[in-house]
Amino acid sequence: MMVQTRNTRVLQRLINMLVMVAIGLLMTGFSAAESPHEGLQPSVEKRFAKQTDEVPDFQRHVTPLLSRLGCNGRACHGSFQGQGGFRLSLFGYDFAKDHAALTEADSGRVDLDQPLESLILRKPTDEDIHEGGQRYETGSWQYNVLKSWVAAGAIAAEKPLRLEKLEVLPAEIILTEEDNPEQVELQVIAHWQGGVSEDVTPLCRFQVNNTAIAKVTAEGMVKPAEVPGDTHLVVFYDNAVAPIPVMRALASRPAGPKYDWQGNLVELKFAKSANSVKDASTQIDSLVFQKLNKLGIRQSAVADDVTFLRRVSLDISGTLPSPQEIRQFVADSDVQKRSHKIDQLLNSKAYNAWWTTFFCDLTGNNTQQLRNMGISQDKASLQWYQWIHDKIEKNVPYDEMVEGIVVATSRRPNEDYLAYCKRMSKTSRDQENDSFAKTKSMPYFWMRREFQEQDTRAISFAHAFLGIRIQCAQCHKHPFDQWSQDDFQQFSKFFTGVSIGRTQGGSKERAAQIKKIYQDLGIDTEKTRGGMLQRALVAALRDGKTIPFTELLVHAPKMDLKREDRVNRGKRGKFHETATLLGSETIDLTQYNDVREPLMEWMRQSDNPYFAQSIVNRVWAHYFGVGIVEPADDLNRANPPSNAPLLDYLAEGFVKNGYDLKWLHREITNSRTYQVDWVANETNANDRRNFSRAQPRRLPAEVVFDVARQAVLNREENRLYRNKIDGRSISIPGTNLNYGNRKGVPTSAFALQVFGRSERANSCDCDRSDETSLIQTVYLQNDRDIHSMLADRSGWVAEIAKLRNQSGLAESEQKQVVQLQKQLDRLNRMVKTKEQQGDSKQVEQLKQQRRKEAAKLQKLKKREQEYEQQTIPLENRKLITEAYLRTLGRYPTDLEKVECEKFLVGEQDFATGLRGILWALINTKEFVVNH
């Protein structure tokens, strides 16, 4: 038997080797000389192995070689200060600057008279002292490339060539087990404008994103590393960044023990076969299965009803299901009940509030940034929140909602400044904020205090609506993407057409209109300034008067100059005529009244690679704790999606369905992939990026605080919690965390800070933290917020304690029942006797006394009957079950019931015991984790 097994393994390895050889032959065409690409130039490594008359190209050969050698890296001449008086552009691609630095007169770096004396030949070969050490040998192909370029005059083309495509072969690498470590050789082909194709493998830089799975040499040889899994290999050349998937299938052995969040050993469920197509209920599942099958990973089983219900309720509505809801859902036999529950949650008030908060995070609704608006910061922040809330509640298409922000203006068409101030004054007195929420535009995104510079606007815009971190290109070539500094500068021109405060009519018109407003208010601005002026305006607004408002203005774009330049030199801004969209066309700005309009048009194009994908990826990350691209706000070529077909499917479907956010929520949550259990099988215990099982994730800050409150509410308030949003942490509009407190509603700024609520201060999704910390544990155990909730006199513990005290009859009352019954029997006999005697007056007195005693007895018996028919569970074990449903959303195990009942019985005071059980459940890891 052992021999058969060993022979089988040997045969399998042989088959794997033959398959890899076949793939390599097909993909690489045996060698560059036999490549299927017609006219493919061999690599410079071959062409310059010996002296040749060929002249290397500065962009195609010299600059990439310097990058490959590390010359323009951060630690060398690419650093901000350079090295030894010689500075190159970081990561290259500023060809003019680099050429000027290399050929600088009297620098000796390039000696046209004596090429062999050039420092770019002598220093890297260590003929002269070089801090970077020897980079290549004299006579090597690298030496010959640089020598030939210098000898030919060290020239560079005035206009850079356009690299059409960087092709990497093979396009996908599947490695076998570690004990059969064959290598895969890469070939990289550059396709230039004009039809020139060249093997540029020796000029490329290679990077593996996860070196525990695979490793790559400087020459492009890929081999397996320590662990199975998947990653990407990234190739850098010129401005191109080309990733290819690298997978190392899981070995056929268990992944080892798995522990739950409470530290208990979980028995692994062993998979017997690959993921079956029949198990895929949606296209999402099919695309996930395709990837998992390549890795030899089997998806976990579908989660049970209680796990699914808690997970989807928290994800969609930021709210726990009530105990009654859990019981009804579990008892429901409808096969479509999960889909129906998803629809119900998407129509809840909590969904509207929670996803409004999601988009306030995304767009940067920061209260502290909304100063000098004419209204209070809190009011402006609330209007921002209510505007988005209105769009979420109405399920306005995402592109329309974004359009209302991107091309927002303060004034309506043909509205002058005075009319605008009157309208805004009236709107600001609207306590419900309905009038502002229903407007087409939401200009506050552009009116933040930090948004005065066009570069800041470009960075924030790219983060919010494109999901990319472009800020690196502000100073140099982006290290992980195609963007150069020129790309950034071109893109930032689209943000020069807006400003804050001025009017289209010019300063004279504005001065006249403001003067009239202040005159009508009776305010002398020479005497009333600063805080005194602000308080006077707030009082005037409250009294129903019109006050001046800051406005967002749209004008012809001009270059932002530093304030000192404008003041000291009197410079006027230059008007831009064109600007280039990221990776797309150049736009004639003179054709637009608002230069933000082409941005919106570009984002709506069906082939836009960022707009739809960025929001789809972020929503996916919300549901799974990890994006298809991770981090979710860092879409770049060196950080490709873990499942590109999946991201493409969702983005294309999102666009085809009219940017319908609820379609996206339904598509994700109705999939088997979303509904699988968190418990691992023997294949997926270490999987974190391919969605083979649910990843337990800590609840967001607002949800932690809200569900802690929800767990202790009385039965009726708990049942209605999902549709009662006032005072909920998920509905705090801005970044003033004490906002609810000022309205007399209990919220906790401290708790939200401790659990990492987004500060909305930076262009990064990392402003919201899901990390765990010791102080979070201390808060849940000891903070007065938690203990005040548990001790609430209107809460569940108090409600149950009161009912238990009032239920049934006390011993004295039971004796009273017996005595009353005897008294009634005696009165009945006496009435009968007096009736026989004909004493009607005495009979009436006895009957009246009998009615009173009967009423007393009836009252006591009614209480006893109500207790016997009581629908509220008051027995210890039923109350323990109720506590588990309220907090963990599941039924307790038999062991948990026994242990909790021991504790409850052991407490002298029942309420203290029940409160202790709730406290213990709130302090479990399971409570603050969505699984």
Side-chain angles (χ1 to χ4, degrees):
M1 187 69 177
M2 291 180 63
V3 173
Q4 283 184 329
T5 302
R6 189 180 300 112
N7 290 341
T8 302
R9 289 177 179 171
V10 172
L11 180 60
Q12 183 63 50
R13 291 173 187 167
L14 179 60
I15 293 172
N16 289 340
M17 291 177 64
L18 291 173
V19 169
M20 291 305 300
V21 170
I23 291 174
L25 293 176
L26 287 172
M27 297 302 292
T28 62
F30 295 93
S31 68
E34 299 175 80
S35 172
H37 296 83
E38 290 187 16
L40 177 67
Q41 292 184 1
S43 69
V44 290
E45 183 180 18
K46 296 178 180 178
R47 295 179 356 238
F48 287 86
K50 296 180 180 180
Q51 188 61 41
T52 175
D53 293 332
E54 181 183 349
V55 179
D57 181 84
F58 183 70
Q59 177 185 353
R60 290 169 50 195
H61 306 123
V62 175
T63 298
L65 177 57
L66 295 177
S67 294
R68 169 71 178 269
L69 296 171
C71 302
N72 55 19
R74 289 190 184 95
C76 199
H77 300 288
S79 66
F80 182 75
Q81 68 273 15
Q83 289 285 346
F86 175 33
R87 181 186 174 193
L88 294 169
S89 63
L90 185 61
F91 308 119
Y93 211 67
D94 191 334
F95 302 118
K97 184 184 293 185
D98 289 349
H99 184 262
L102 283 165
T103 59
E104 181 182 358
D106 300 325
S107 68
R109 295 170 198 129
V110 169
D111 190 334
L112 298 180
D113 297 327
Q114 301 182 66
L116 297 182
E117 296 301 312
S118 299
L119 293 180
I120 64 167
L121 295 175
R122 294 181 60 83
K123 278 183 173 287
T125 55
D126 244 6
E127 291 184 35
D128 279 6
I129 297 174
H130 185 221
E131 288 186 17
Q134 187 181 47
R135 310 307 295 170
Y136 53 77
E137 295 180 354
T138 302
S140 65
W141 68 267
Q142 297 96 329
Y143 181 91
N144 292 336
V145 167
L146 295 175
K147 184 179 76 172
S148 297
W149 177 68
V150 174
I155 60 174
E158 291 185 7
K159 185 177 181 181
L161 287 170
R162 184 175 69 253
L163 180 59
E164 301 282 1
K165 179 184 177 183
L166 190 67
E167 183 181 8
V168 184
L169 300 174
E172 179 181 273
I173 297 176
I174 301 179
L175 300 169
T176 57
E177 296 182 19
E178 186 181 5
D179 51 1
N180 184 24
E182 77 282 353
Q183 296 187 102
V184 177
E185 183 177 4
L186 296 173
Q187 183 184 33
V188 186
I189 300 172
H191 300 275
W192 296 93
Q193 67 181 96
V196 176
S197 297
E198 178 181 5
D199 184 340
V200 294
T201 308
L203 298 172
C204 294
R205 291 179 293 118
F206 304 98
Q207 166 190 303
V208 174
N209 288 347
N210 187 343
T211 55
I213 292 169
K215 295 180 180 179
V216 62
T217 66
E219 292 73 31
M221 299 295 293
V222 186
K223 61 181 181 179
E226 294 83 16
V227 299
D230 70 304
T231 184
H232 280 86
L233 183 146
V234 187
V235 181
F236 301 87
Y237 173 77
D238 194 65
N239 75 324
V241 181
I244 62 168
V246 178
M247 286 170 277
R248 182 175 166 216
L250 187 74
S252 55
R253 56 181 179 268
K258 180 68 180 177
Y259 298 89
D260 66 13
W261 48 70
Q262 295 175 313
N264 302 316
L265 181 64
V266 176
E267 183 179 354
L268 294 176
K269 298 179 180 179
F270 285 82
K272 297 180 180 179
S273 60
N275 302 286
S276 173
V277 176
K278 66 181 181 181
D279 292 331
S281 57
T282 67
Q283 181 64 14
I284 287 176
D285 302 322
S286 297
L287 294 170
V288 170
F289 283 5
Q290 288 176 20
K291 177 74 178 292
L292 292 178
N293 287 339
K294 289 180 180 180
L295 292 167
I297 295 176
R298 181 171 175 80
Q299 200 174 67
S300 291
V302 174
D304 59 29
D305 281 344
V306 291
T307 301
F308 164 78
L309 181 60
R310 186 179 194 267
R311 180 190 303 168
V312 76
S313 297
L314 289 168
D315 280 342
I316 291 181
S317 67
T319 309
L320 285 168
S322 68
Q324 181 182 356
E325 184 182 0
I326 296 170
R327 292 188 181 96
Q328 291 174 348
F329 189 76
V330 172
D332 190 352
S333 59
D334 186 353
V335 294
Q336 295 296 321
K337 66 180 181 181
R338 294 194 177 192
S339 180
H340 295 330
K341 177 55 67 175
I342 290 168
D343 289 340
Q344 179 187 346
L345 291 168
L346 290 173
N347 290 317
S348 67
K349 290 183 179 180
Y351 161 78
N352 298 332
W354 185 217
W355 285 90
T356 297
T357 295
F358 176 91
F359 285 106
C360 281
D361 282 356
L362 189 64
T363 54
N365 183 359
N366 185 316
T367 308
Q368 287 70 33
Q369 292 291 333
L370 299 175
R371 294 183 179 178
N372 303 318
M373 304 285 290
I375 54 176
S376 71
Q377 296 167 263
D378 284 334
K379 184 68 173 181
S381 187
L382 179 60
Q383 288 180 343
W384 187 331
Y385 176 92
Q386 293 290 7
W387 188 90
I388 293 179
H389 186 278
D390 178 73
K391 309 305 176 282
I392 297 298
E393 186 176 32
K394 295 175 180 175
N395 197 34
V396 170
Y398 176 69
D399 64 322
E400 290 184 24
M401 180 171 70
V402 171
E403 182 181 30
I405 298 173
V406 172
V407 295
T409 56
S410 291
R411 299 193 203 177
R412 292 172 177 173
N414 303 317
E415 185 177 48
D416 66 15
Y417 179 70
L418 190 58
Y420 160 70
C421 290
K422 288 181 178 179
R423 175 171 59 83
M424 284 300 297
S425 296
K426 182 179 179 181
T427 297
S428 298
R429 285 188 288 270
D430 175 11
Q431 295 301 315
E432 300 298 327
N433 297 291
D434 285 344
S435 53
F436 186 88
K438 290 177 171 56
T439 58
K440 184 178 180 181
S441 290
M442 205 290 295
Y444 295 162
F445 174 83
W446 302 99
M447 298 174 72
R448 289 174 286 174
R449 187 177 56 176
E450 65 176 11
F451 252 45
Q452 303 306 304
E453 301 293 333
Q454 67 188 60
D455 285 3
T456 304
R457 295 171 188 160
I459 291 168
S460 183
F461 183 94
H463 165 261
F465 303 119
L466 305 177
I468 59 178
R469 302 177 183 178
I470 197 175
Q471 49 265 46
C472 284
Q474 187 177 9
C475 301
H476 52 75
K477 166 75 169 64
H478 198 294
F480 306 118
D481 217 330
Q482 59 184 313
W483 316 124
S484 65
Q485 191 173 12
D486 182 63
D487 291 327
F488 180 90
Q489 292 168 352
Q490 286 290 322
F491 183 64
S492 67
K493 293 178 185 179
F494 289 102
F495 306 96
T496 59
V498 291
S499 64
I500 301 172
R502 299 178 186 138
T503 64
Q504 290 92 330
S507 59
K508 290 183 179 180
E509 178 194 359
R510 182 174 188 273
Q513 291 172 330
I514 289 182
K515 184 177 181 180
K516 183 180 186 310
I517 293 173
Y518 281 124
Q519 285 176 346
D520 292 343
L521 294 173
I523 296 176
D524 185 350
T525 54
E526 292 296 323
K527 298 179 180 178
T528 308
R529 297 182 178 182
M532 186 181 298
L533 176 61
Q534 187 63 33
R535 287 190 293 273
L537 291 175
V538 170
L541 181 66
R542 189 168 51 243
D543 292 340
K545 297 177 181 179
T546 297
I547 67 171
F549 274 79
T550 304
E551 62 175 329
L552 178 70
L553 301 168
V554 178
H555 47 70
K558 62 182 180 181
M559 180 181 296
D560 272 350
L561 295 175
K562 292 183 178 179
R563 188 172 186 275
E564 57 268 22
D565 286 341
R566 293 201 305 267
V567 174
N568 298 334
R569 305 178 193 176
K571 290 187 177 181
R572 298 288 296 267
K574 294 182 180 179
F575 286 89
H576 297 298
E577 294 183 355
T578 63
T580 304
L581 296 162
L582 291 174
S584 188
E585 60 187 313
T586 298
I587 302 296
D588 182 359
L589 299 182
T590 62
Q591 301 301 309
Y592 294 88
N593 293 324
D594 184 345
V595 296
R596 298 170 301 170
E597 291 177 8
L599 277 175
M600 196 65 232
E601 293 172 1
W602 169 63
M603 290 196 296
R604 274 194 169 121
Q605 292 175 4
S606 60
D607 60 346
N608 184 287
Y610 305 109
F611 182 55
Q613 286 201 355
S614 65
I615 187 61
V616 162
N617 187 56
R618 279 176 162 129
V619 172
W620 181 278
H622 173 88
Y623 284 113
F624 289 87
V626 60
I628 303 172
V629 174
E630 182 64 23
D633 63 337
D634 194 12
L635 274 63
N636 69 67
R637 293 190 176 184
N639 183 37
S642 60
N643 192 322
L646 175 61
L647 184 59
D648 290 341
Y649 164 73
L650 286 171
E652 290 168 7
F654 184 54
V655 174
K656 288 178 182 177
N657 283 275
Y659 296 91
D660 184 348
L661 286 167
K662 287 191 176 179
W663 173 87
L664 181 59
H665 292 306
R666 290 188 183 99
E667 192 71 10
I668 293 174
T669 55
N670 276 305
S671 69
R672 183 188 195 278
T673 298
Y674 174 75
Q675 297 182 17
V676 294
D677 204 352
W678 67 272
V679 178
N681 58 47
E682 85 281 10
T683 68
N684 67 5
N686 295 317
D687 180 40
R688 296 290 183 275
R689 55 185 256 127
N690 292 295
F691 321 112
S692 60
R693 63 186 180 93
Q695 297 294 327
R697 44 206 159 86
R698 207 211 69 201
L699 296 175
E702 300 93 329
V703 178
V704 171
F705 188 76
D706 280 355
V707 298
R709 286 181 58 203
Q710 182 186 2
V712 301
L713 292 175
N714 62 52
R715 292 175 302 118
E716 185 65 10
E717 289 180 341
N718 184 286
R719 184 177 65 85
L720 298 174
Y721 197 62
R722 185 175 293 129
N723 286 306
K724 284 195 173 182
I725 300 304
D726 291 344
R728 293 277 303 271
S729 295
I730 62 171
S731 64
I732 295 176
T735 52
N736 178 7
L737 302 184
N738 290 312
Y739 179 80
N741 287 355
R742 291 220 297 266
K743 295 174 65 178
V745 179
T747 60
S748 176
F750 178 66
L752 299 181
Q753 291 172 343
V754 164
F755 285 94
R757 186 186 192 266
S758 176
E759 297 178 353
R760 302 171 186 168
N762 301 299
S763 295
C764 181
D765 288 3
C766 58
D767 253 10
R768 176 177 290 278
S769 172
D770 60 358
E771 297 296 322
T772 57
S773 67
L774 178 60
I775 196 170
Q776 293 169 8
T777 303
V778 173
Y779 173 83
L780 290 173
Q781 289 183 355
N782 296 325
D783 196 87
R784 63 183 178 185
D785 289 342
I786 301 299
H787 290 287
S788 295
M789 293 176 191
L790 290 166
D792 186 358
R793 293 181 180 180
S794 64
W796 178 65
V797 173
E799 178 186 37
I800 295 301
K802 184 177 180 181
L803 288 170
R804 279 177 68 106
N805 290 336
Q806 293 178 351
S807 298
L809 300 177
E811 185 176 351
S812 60
E813 291 174 320
Q814 292 172 1
K815 291 180 179 179
Q816 189 179 358
V817 169
V818 175
Q819 290 172 353
L820 285 170
Q821 188 64 58
K822 290 180 178 179
Q823 179 70 353
L824 285 172
D825 290 342
R826 186 176 66 83
L827 288 170
N828 285 333
R829 291 194 299 270
M830 290 176 67
V831 168
K832 188 174 181 181
T833 301
K834 294 300 180 182
E835 284 177 342
Q836 292 174 352
Q837 295 174 353
D839 190 348
S840 59
K841 184 178 180 179
Q842 188 68 24
V843 168
E844 184 59 33
Q845 290 177 347
L846 289 170
K847 284 185 176 180
Q848 186 176 358
Q849 184 180 358
R850 185 176 65 179
R851 284 194 294 269
K852 290 181 181 180
E853 299 299 320
K856 292 179 182 179
L857 180 62
Q858 181 64 27
K859 186 176 181 180
L860 290 170
K861 286 191 172 183
K862 184 179 179 182
R863 280 180 52 196
E864 191 171 33
Q865 185 179 15
E866 286 178 348
Y867 176 66
E868 291 172 354
Q869 298 175 352
Q870 183 60 259
T871 57
I872 303 172
L874 298 174
E875 296 87 347
N876 286 349
R877 290 210 169 189
K878 288 184 178 180
L879 290 173
I880 291 165
T881 298
E882 183 84 358
Y884 269 79
L885 293 177
R886 283 174 159 268
T887 53
L888 308 185
R890 64 172 176 83
Y891 290 92
T893 64
D894 290 340
L895 179 59
E896 287 170 333
K897 285 182 182 178
V898 170
E899 293 299 322
C900 287
E901 189 168 26
K902 283 182 183 178
F903 174 80
L904 193 57
V905 171
E907 286 290 327
Q908 292 183 353
D909 180 66
F910 166 78
T912 302
L914 188 58
R915 195 178 297 119
I917 290 174
L918 267 185
W919 176 88
L921 290 172
I922 289 173
N923 275 280
T924 60
K925 293 179 182 178
E926 188 176 354
F927 178 75
V928 295
V929 166
N930 194 359
H931 50 84

